[in-house]
């Protein structure tokens, strides 16, 4: 009996599915809750704190979108996803939005039928070594043992890098970051390689951080960004422009503190358009006039979010680097609001 | 010569000498050591090696634990405290992390002001288990055993009280019906009526008939229209009445809204999650396994084929695959917007998985029974269920106890696999979260040790209980 119910459901679903595939925005509004796929635990980017509230650089994007769409940054349900489950969770509609350190690649964008709506963090793979090793460049790592997570793109990048420089190495495979850190401290490998942001977090928590250096070479491009499903362009636009609103806010000096006043006092027409003081821009994607105002008020502009979660005042102490605004030599560049 | 008597033969010992102590090599500790540890050169060598190995392990482990810090606010502070107390090169555990995040390991993200609810639920479950596990507990407590599952679900997830109440009433009706009428109506009629009852109580039979009809007539979705679409209003109308339990609960909730704060499934985590999944799956998989084992030995072709197919299929698929199916694939099939609780999905899969193994264990017990037992039951004029109940099962289950308990222990430990589908189990899920906090990043062994210790307590308890039960049920030598 169970089986026949199941078959019946399948049949019914195939019929319903065609109708209900569109309009994530309507679903989110009807539910009055944004469902956001996040990392189960990545220092600084997404993890619940001691009282169970999700915090982090990626989580702030979820909050901004919820604030823009629903008017309240707290109306988010966070679904913890693992490396294996994240894309299925998004594709099956279990989450509306995935902000989980996912690298924008060609095949993920095309073959997996997702849209990467932007890049909220430009990352890249780096190396950390002990100072005592006397190495100052990754090109001097000939013959080194290197701790590397299995089954990730970092493993492939490492092989490419050493091949390209005609060097040899011995991999020490590890399962996760915690194990890598332990193996590295125990001296099982000369160098530990993972995303530079991850290396910084590891280094920050070592008992003798000053004895370790992160080498200058970045051997891969890891543009991390929020992901939505193909086919619902309006929803993609909302997430994309919410993110760009945060970047533009930093560029124009709009912060969570002054966002409520600046719309009235500013003479800059771009800021007026962004904050809904001029024109009918929110309505173009099915939101109200003040969507960007709320998104910025949620956890501040891009720079504020960066500083609060992973910036130089936090223990992780990441420099802005590529993630600085384009006006300051970085890659963060929001298209014009008009 | 005569008197050249023997020198006075006066000394004849009158009393026994006190026995001498055995040679020192044949007594006490020395004997035990010689016999057990140093009986041959090879054994002596192995003993020394083993002692050396134990020493090496303990010499690392014991100082690490003894230097452990229980009060600190970050891993760095732990390290400072160890260095301050035991010298700069000393190693020490940082149990402060366990202390700091203890509530998350135990309750996950359950709202702190409601911690009493899972605690009370666990106490209830333990009380309800007592009459099942120990015959000395008064039989009246079995009522608690019947009520507890529904009460615990209500305590854990909260919400309206009427849902659990009517589910309980429905099960009561079903049970009473089977007990009172199965002898009068015969097996087949009873089963049919029971199935109809289940349909009416928990599902919408009209809707199901229509959707099955639709599925079949449209060749399972190959034809893009619904042949029975015109019947849908009927199905919707029936939805006002069926499922009876759900609608009665909704009605009573409108009349008398009694309830407690709802807690969503994504707030569950840690041992609360493990124990919820483990206990439910254990409780459900045993009866299901018994039925499957009987089905597999049945003479009825269909029953037998279905049982064999089910058991072999489930045993042939890894648990992780089933968990992935439950959490991810089902989303594709279910209608959009269906909210099929993720913990419930995982519980169903774990139960099904465990039931297949239990079925095989019990089948082993059934096969070990001599044929005479079955014939004796027949000769007494008992029908199938009576024979199973009074003659076969008590013996078969007794034989299967070690196997069943092993399966249960395995199942309980397998609950940590739910981490792979993003649920927050204590071993990987919560541990990962704690490690992601910059204050505790770099922690490695302590969470594993802690979680392993708690699991050991549970599993060792189950194992001891199974041995107690075996001793108690040992009939042959009494």
């Amino acid at each position: 009996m169970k089986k026949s119910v199941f078959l019946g459901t399948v049949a019914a679903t195939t019929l319903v599915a065609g109708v209900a595939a569109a309009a994530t925005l309507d679903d989110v509004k009807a539910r009055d809750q944004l469902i956001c796929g996040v990392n189960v635990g990545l220092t600084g980017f997404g993890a619940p704190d001691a009282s169970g509230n999700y915090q982090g650089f990626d989580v702030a994007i979820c909050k901004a979108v919820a604030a823009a769409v629903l008017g309240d940054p707290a109306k988010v349900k966070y679904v913890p996803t693992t490396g294996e489950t994240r894309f299925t969770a998004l594709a099956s509609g279990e989450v509306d939005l995935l902000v989980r350190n996912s690298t924008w690649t060609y095949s993920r964008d095309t073959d997996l039928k997702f849209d990467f709506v932007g890049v909220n963090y430009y990352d890249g793979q780096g190396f950390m070594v002990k100072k005592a090793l006397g190495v100052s460049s990754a090109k001097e790592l000939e013959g080194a043992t290197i701790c590397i997570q299995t089954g990730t793109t970092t493993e492939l990048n490492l092989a490419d890098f050493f091949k390209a420089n005609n060097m040899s190495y011995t991999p020490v495979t590890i399962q996760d970051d915690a194990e890598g850190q332990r193996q590295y401290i125990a001296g099982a490998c000369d160098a530990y390689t993972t995303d530079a942001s991850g290396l910084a977090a590891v280094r920050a928590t070592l008992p003798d951080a000053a004895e370790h250096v992160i080498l200058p070479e970045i051997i891969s491009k890891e543009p991390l960004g929020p992901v939505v499903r193909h086919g619902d362009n309006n929803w993609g636009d909302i997430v994309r422009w919410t993110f760009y609103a945060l970047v533009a806010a930093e560029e124009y000096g709009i912060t969570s503190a002054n966002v409520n006043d600046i719309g009235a006092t500013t003479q800059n027409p771009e800021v007026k358009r962004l904050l809904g003081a001029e024109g009918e821009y929110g309505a173009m994607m099915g939101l109200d006039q003040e969507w960007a105002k709320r998104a910025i008020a949620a956890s501040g502009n891009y720079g504020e979010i960066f500083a609060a979660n992973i910036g130089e005042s936090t223990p992780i102490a990441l420099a802005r680097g590529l993630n600085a605004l384009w006006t300051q030599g970085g890659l963060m560049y929001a298209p014009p609001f008009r | 010569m005569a008197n050249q008597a023997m020198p006075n033969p006066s000394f004849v010992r009158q009393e026994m000498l006190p026995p001498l102590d055995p040679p020192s090599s044949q007594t006490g500790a020395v004997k035990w050591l010689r016999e057990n540890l140093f009986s041959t050169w090879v054994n002596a060598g192995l003993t020394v090696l083993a002692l050396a190995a134990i020493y090496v392990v303990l010499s690392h482990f014991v100082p690490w634990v003894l230097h452990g810090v229980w009060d600190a606010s970050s891993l760095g502070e732990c390290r400072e405290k160890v260095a301050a107390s035991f010298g700069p090169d000393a190693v020490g555990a940082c149990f402060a992390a366990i202390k700091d995040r203890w509530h998350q390991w135990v309750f996950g993200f359950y709202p702190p002001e409601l911690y009493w609810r899972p605690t009370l639920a666990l106490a209830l479950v333990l009380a309800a288990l007592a009459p099942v596990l120990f015959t000395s507990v008064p039989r009246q407590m079995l009522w608690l055993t019947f009520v507890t599952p529904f009460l615990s679900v209500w305590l854990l997830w909260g919400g309206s009280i009427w849902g659990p109440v009517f589910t309980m009433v429905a099960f009561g009706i079903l049970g009473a019906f089977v007990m009172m009428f199965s002898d009068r109506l015969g097996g087949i009629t009873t089963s049919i009526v029971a199935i109809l009852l289940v349909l009416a109580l928990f599902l919408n039979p009209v809707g199901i008939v229509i959707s099955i009809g639709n599925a079949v007539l449209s060749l399972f979705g190959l034809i893009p229209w619904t042949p029975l679409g015109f019947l849908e209003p009927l199905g919707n109308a029936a939805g006002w009445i069926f499922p009876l339990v759900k609608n009665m609960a909704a009605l009573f909730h409108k009349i008398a809204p009694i309830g407690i704060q709802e807690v969503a499934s994504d707030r569950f985590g840690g041992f609360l999650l493990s124990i919820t999944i483990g206990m439910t799956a254990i409780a459900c998989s045993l009866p299901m396994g018994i039925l499957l084992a009987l089905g597999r030995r049945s003479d009825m072709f269909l029953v037998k084929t279905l049982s064999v197919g089910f058991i072999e299929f489930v045993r042939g698929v890894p648990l992780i695959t089933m968990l992935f199916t439950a959490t991810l694939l089902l989303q594709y099939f279910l209608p959009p917007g269906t909210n099929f609780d993720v913990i419930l999905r995982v519980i169903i899969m774990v139960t099904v998985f465990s039931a297949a193994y239990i079925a095989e264990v019990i089948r082993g017990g059934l096969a070990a029974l001599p044929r005479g037992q079955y014939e004796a039951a027949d000769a007494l004029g008992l029908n199938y269920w009576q024979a199973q109940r009074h003659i076969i099962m008590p013996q078969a289950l007794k034989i299967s106890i070690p196997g069943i308990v092993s399966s249960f222990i395995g199942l309980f430990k397998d609950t940590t696999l739910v981490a792979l589908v993003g649920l927050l189990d204590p071993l990987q899920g919560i541990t990962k979260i704690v490690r992601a906090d910059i204050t505790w990043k770099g922690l490695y062994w302590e969470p594993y040790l802690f979680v392993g210790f708690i699991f050991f307590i549970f599993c060792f308890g189950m194992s001891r209980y199974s041995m107690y039960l075996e001793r108690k049920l040992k009939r042959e030598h009494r």
Side-chain angles (χ1 to χ4, degrees), chain A residues 25 29 60-73 234-249 254 259-260 270-300 334-338:
Chain A
L25 177 61
K29 277 184 173 164
I61 302 277
C62 298
K63 287 183 180 166
V65 173
V69 175
L70 300 170
D72 184 353
N234 184 44
W235 179 245
D237 287 343
I238 290 172
V239 179
R240 176 179 300 117
W241 287 97
T242 304
F243 171 64
Y244 281 142
L246 301 180
V247 176
I254 311 167
V259 65
N260 283 324
E270 174 99 355
V271 174
K272 284 192 164 181
R273 286 194 293 271
L274 175 64
L275 296 182
E278 212 176 272
E280 293 285 330
Y281 286 88
M284 292 178 192
M285 51 183 193
L287 300 181
D288 61 6
Q289 274 301 83
E290 303 211 310
W291 64 275
K293 205 181 225 178
R294 290 192 305 267
I296 297 164
S299 354
F337 281 81
R338 69 165 61 248

Side-chain angles (χ1 to χ4, degrees), chain B residues 243-317:
Chain B
L244 278 174
V245 168
K246 191 178 156 198
N247 288 333
M248 286 296 275
L251 180 69
F252 268 77
H253 187 67
K254 260 183 206 147
I255 299 170
I258 306 171
I260 48 179
Q261 188 187 333
E262 271 190 60
V263 180
S265 282
D266 60 340
R267 310 301 292 176
F268 283 56
F271 284 104
L272 170 61
L273 182 71
S274 281
I275 294 175
T276 306
I277 298 176
M279 288 262 187
T280 321
I282 284 175
C284 299
S285 66
L286 185 61
M288 200 170 155
I290 292 176
L291 288 180
L292 281 170
L294 290 177
R296 189 163 188 170
R297 288 174 65 86
S298 161
D299 298 329
M300 288 182 272
F301 174 74
L302 204 59
V303 171
K304 183 175 175 148
T305 318
L306 285 178
S307 302
V308 172
F310 180 87
I311 292 172
E312 295 302 335
F313 173 74
V314 171
R315 286 205 309 165
V317 179

Side-chain angles (χ1 to χ4, degrees), chain A residues 1-17 20 39-44 46-54 77-78 80-82 84-85 87-89 91-94 100 176-179 181-182 185 198 201-202 204-208 315-316, chain B residues 75 79 100-101 103-104 109 112 195 198-199 203 208 211-212 214-215 218 220-221 223-226 266-267 306 324 327-336 339 342 345 348 352 419-424 428-429 432-433 435-445 448:
Chain A
M1 184 216 67
K2 212 171 191 177
K3 197 178 264 177
S4 45
V5 173
F6 178 71
L7 285 175
T9 321
V10 172
T13 313
T14 43
L15 298 168
V16 182
N39 206 318
V40 195
L42 183 66
T43 314
D49 62 10
S51 40
N53 300 316
Y54 278 82
K77 181 183 166 193
Y78 298 98
T81 53
T82 66
E84 292 86 15
T85 61
F87 292 127
T88 331
S92 67
E94 199 184 339
R100 192 201 174 278
D176 56 20
D177 196 47
E179 193 191 344
Q181 191 172 347
R182 189 183 62 83
I185 295 173
V202 169
T205 55
L206 289 178
D208 48 351
I316 307 172
Chain B
L75 187 59
R79 286 174 180 147
D100 186 44
R101 296 296 191 96
H103 58 286
Q104 282 188 345
F109 300 151
I195 289 175
V198 169
L199 280 177
L203 297 162
I208 289 172
S211 67
I212 294 176
N214 265 332
S218 68
F220 298 103
I223 303 173
W225 71 85
T226 44
D266 60 340
R267 310 301 292 176
L306 285 178
F324 273 123
T327 46
L328 299 171
L329 273 181
L330 271 184
Q331 278 290 330
Y332 283 110
F333 296 127
L334 293 173
N339 188 14
V342 65
R345 284 187 258 165
I348 291 174
V352 160
L420 290 171
V421 292
L423 292 183
L424 298 166
Q428 294 166 65
K432 196 167 181 190
I433 285 170
R435 280 190 190 138
D437 189 333
I438 193 84
T439 48
W440 301 118
K441 193 173 164 66
L443 206 65
Y444 196 74
W445 295 110
Y448 290 153

Side-chain angles (χ1 to χ4, degrees), chain B residues 37-283:
Chain B
L37 297 179
F38 298 98
S39 58
T40 64
W41 280 110
V42 177
N43 282 354
L46 289 175
T47 301
V48 171
L49 272 181
L51 286 177
I54 293 173
Y55 172 76
V56 168
V57 171
L58 288 186
S59 67
H60 283 91
F61 183 69
V62 170
W64 182 74
V65 171
L66 289 183
H67 294 172
V69 176
W70 289 89
D71 270 307
S73 58
S74 74
L75 187 59
E77 198 185 329
C78 268
R79 286 174 180 147
E80 278 165 25
K81 281 195 171 177
V82 171
S85 316
F86 306 101
D89 292 329
V91 288
C94 188
F95 295 117
I98 311 284
K99 202 176 152 193
D100 186 44
R101 296 296 191 96
W102 161 266
H103 58 286
Q104 282 188 345
W105 260 295
V106 176
F107 295 106
F109 300 151
Y110 212 84
E113 68 277 12
L114 301 179
Y115 281 169
W116 62 272
R117 273 163 46 179
T119 316
L120 179 62
L122 181 66
L124 271 176
V125 167
L126 292 180
L129 277 176
V132 181
L133 297 182
F134 303 102
T135 41
S136 54
V137 177
R139 294 295 87 191
Q140 285 81 354
M141 274 184 76
L142 280 171
W143 281 106
L144 185 65
T145 311
F146 176 69
V147 174
T148 295
F150 309 101
L151 206 54
S152 307
V153 167
W154 182 60
L155 278 174
L156 287 179
W157 276 274
S160 161
I161 195 171
W162 297 111
V165 164
F166 279 99
T167 316
M168 186 169 78
V169 170
F171 273 101
I173 291 173
L174 266 178
F177 169 78
V178 171
M179 280 209 274
M180 288 167 68
F181 290 98
S182 59
D183 287 343
R184 242 176 286 173
L185 295 177
I188 296 174
T189 325
T190 315
S191 318
I192 292 174
V193 177
I195 289 175
L196 286 178
L197 264 177
V198 169
L199 280 177
L201 288 170
F202 297 109
L203 297 162
N204 180 353
V206 183
I208 289 172
V209 168
I210 293 175
S211 67
I212 294 176
N214 265 332
V216 174
L217 290 178
S218 68
L219 304 175
F220 298 103
L222 291 180
I223 303 173
W225 71 85
T226 44
L228 295 183
F230 64 94
L231 283 179
E232 252 157 38
L234 187 64
N236 292 340
W240 286 99
I241 305 170
F242 301 112
L244 278 174
V245 168
K246 191 178 156 198
N247 288 333
M248 286 296 275
L251 180 69
F252 268 77
H253 187 67
K254 260 183 206 147
I255 299 170
I258 306 171
I260 48 179
Q261 188 187 333
E262 271 190 60
V263 180
S265 282
D266 60 340
R267 310 301 292 176
F268 283 56
F271 284 104
L272 170 61
L273 182 71
S274 281
I275 294 175
T276 306
I277 298 176
M279 288 262 187
T280 321
I282 284 175

